[in-house]
Amino acid sequence: MARLLVGAAAADFAAARAPADLALLAGTPPDAALLALAHALERDDIAFDLIDIAAATPARLARYTLALVPAHLTHQPDAAPLAQANNIALLAHPGELPAEEFFYKPRLPHAPAAEPLHEMLEALGGRPRYSWASDRGLSLRLCHGSRYSYLFAHNRGAQFYSGMLTYRAPDGAVLHLHASIAAARSGAILLHGDEVLGAAIDGDGAEAGWRVRGLQTSLAFSGGAAAIVADQHFLIATAAQNGRFQLRASQPWPEIAAYRLLLNGAPLPAQLDSDAAHLTLPYLADDDLGQTDCYIALPPGRALPDFIRAYLATLLRARAALLNHAAAAAQPGAPATALRAAAHELAGAAAGLSQVEAYVAAWRAAEAYVASAVGALAAGSTQAEAIAALLENA
């Protein structure tokens, strides 16, 4: 479900980077002591990057406050240029000597505790932590893009977590949000400053659902695993089970219309209730009409965001290809002509799609052609049953 957030953020997510002032240089494969240190740092929410020493350069290491290198790796030919870096400290076993170029670098025990490293980073002017929770049982990982921030959370504990998450903005400001996540569950949160724009969190309908609350915005779902991205220009949501999305915006919601998309792409009108800055979306995952793919809501006439437009256009083209296949399977005549007309309607709409209303109109027009085609086929004929099954199972 996190793909929904990735699609909404697009190139910003692809270019996002996890901030860290500490680098651990490793061989291939990393030795056990270094991996143990990495796990200890993760448990203490100390941000770091694990870098293959063969890929490290002085210029790359310059972005870190501190870079730790196991002493035995300094004897590798790849390591020699790194001696120029002035932010390197060595991890050495008692009596272990580094290569000559590194002889005067500071040395630490090969398996230092996380707390002394935390203190050392702070003393050097670095930031040990970029994200942390009020309970150590919840681990966090923060990434920054040029526009959005991304917070990844995993509840390692055996209890439901409900508490504060703290993270640093790109400018270093310390920001907060409140999150509720079930035990052994993970999630991703899309942020702009201290406002929540989206969330994808796993879970089960038998659990208590989840909630993420920023300064003025919040997202919640009552039924387990779900994902949603929303601002006051659009909303897209998906879930594995029935439930209820609740949203709070920084401003009152405009007039907004919701649609339920089935897995085959069919759009159905959906209920959505708004009251000033609060919005409630009942989510129906499955019924006699079919299984739900997602819900989409926009103000009437609003241009589709690029990632939703591309997705809906793909659904139209896929349905058009199916209808052309059905037309090829039908004998020449009115049914085949109607199926090709339906496919043409959908393909034409996909080419110039800009609003959800155009998607709905094209789908309904195509379904009218399909109904006439199926109606023209001899009832009970093998051809009619085969084409009906093809369209029904799409």
Side-chain angles (χ1 to χ4, degrees):
M1 290 186 175
R3 287 180 293 179
L4 190 65
L5 272 64
V6 174
D12 186 81
F13 180 85
R17 178 179 174 272
D21 291 354
L22 174 65
L24 302 183
L25 274 63
T28 305
D31 64 68
L34 195 69
L35 289 178
L37 173 59
H39 292 320
L41 295 175
E42 287 178 344
R43 286 193 298 271
D44 276 27
D45 293 316
I46 297 178
F48 67 93
D49 288 336
L50 188 65
I51 301 173
D52 192 316
I53 195 167
T57 64
R60 183 176 181 183
L61 296 185
R63 73 178 65 163
Y64 300 97
T65 302
L66 178 64
L68 301 179
V69 186
H72 70 274
L73 293 181
T74 63
H75 295 281
Q76 296 185 8
D78 294 331
L82 302 181
Q84 305 168 31
N86 58 13
N87 59 343
I88 281 181
L90 303 178
L91 300 176
H93 294 290
E96 183 179 24
L97 296 178
E100 183 178 353
E101 301 92 328
F102 294 84
F103 193 79
Y104 293 103
K105 297 292 185 183
R107 300 182 196 181
L108 300 173
H110 193 273
E115 186 174 345
L117 282 180
H118 185 289
E119 294 172 355
M120 179 181 293
L121 274 172
E122 285 189 327
L124 293 171
R127 291 175 174 144
R129 292 175 178 159
Y130 280 85
S131 58
W132 61 95
S134 57
D135 186 328
R136 301 290 281 277
L138 190 85
S139 64
L140 296 175
R141 181 72 165 171
L142 176 69
C143 291
H144 290 309
S146 59
R147 185 177 181 185
Y148 303 117
S149 296
Y150 310 86
L151 193 59
F152 301 91
H154 174 58
N155 186 356
R156 299 183 301 241
Q159 303 296 324
F160 190 90
Y161 177 88
S162 182
M164 200 68 70
L165 308 183
T166 305
Y167 59 100
R168 291 188 182 275
D171 63 1
V174 176
L175 305 177
H176 307 276
L177 61 87
H178 189 279
S180 300
I181 304 175
R185 300 301 182 181
S186 301
I189 304 166
L190 176 64
L191 300 159
H192 186 267
D194 51 6
E195 300 302 350
V196 179
L197 300 183
I201 298 177
D202 64 4
D204 186 271
E207 297 166 346
W210 54 261
R211 176 182 294 275
V212 181
R213 186 173 72 243
L215 181 64
Q216 299 183 75
T217 54
S218 66
L219 302 171
F221 184 64
S222 64
I228 183 169
V229 177
D231 65 16
Q232 292 179 309
H233 305 304
F234 75 91
L235 178 158
I236 182 168
T238 188
Q241 297 170 284
N242 295 344
R244 184 177 67 258
F245 285 99
Q246 293 181 301
L247 299 81
R248 177 171 61 97
S250 58
Q251 299 176 15
W253 289 91
E255 180 186 357
I256 192 167
Y259 299 90
R260 175 190 174 203
L261 261 63
L262 302 183
L263 280 182
N264 67 355
L268 304 172
Q271 177 189 352
L272 184 149
D273 300 314
S274 63
D275 180 12
H278 297 268
L279 185 147
T280 301
L281 175 67
Y283 191 95
L284 185 60
D286 198 356
D287 65 5
D288 292 341
L289 297 176
Q291 190 171 351
T292 302
D293 179 13
C294 64
Y295 277 62
I296 293 174
L298 297 97
R302 182 84 186 188
L304 288 164
D306 287 344
F307 80 103
I308 299 180
R309 178 193 55 75
Y311 182 64
L312 295 182
T314 300
L315 292 179
L316 291 177
R317 294 189 187 100
R319 186 69 173 179
L322 177 70
L323 292 173
N324 278 324
H325 180 65
Q331 295 178 0
T337 300
L339 291 171
R340 289 193 179 92
H344 180 76
E345 183 80 31
L346 296 178
L353 188 65
S354 63
Q355 298 176 343
V356 70
E357 291 86 354
Y359 177 92
V360 174
W363 193 280
R364 289 174 179 170
E367 289 305 289
Y369 281 118
V370 171
S372 68
V374 173
L377 293 169
S381 68
T382 302
Q383 182 181 202
E385 291 177 356
I387 292 176
L390 177 65
L391 297 175
E392 181 179 349
N393 294 328

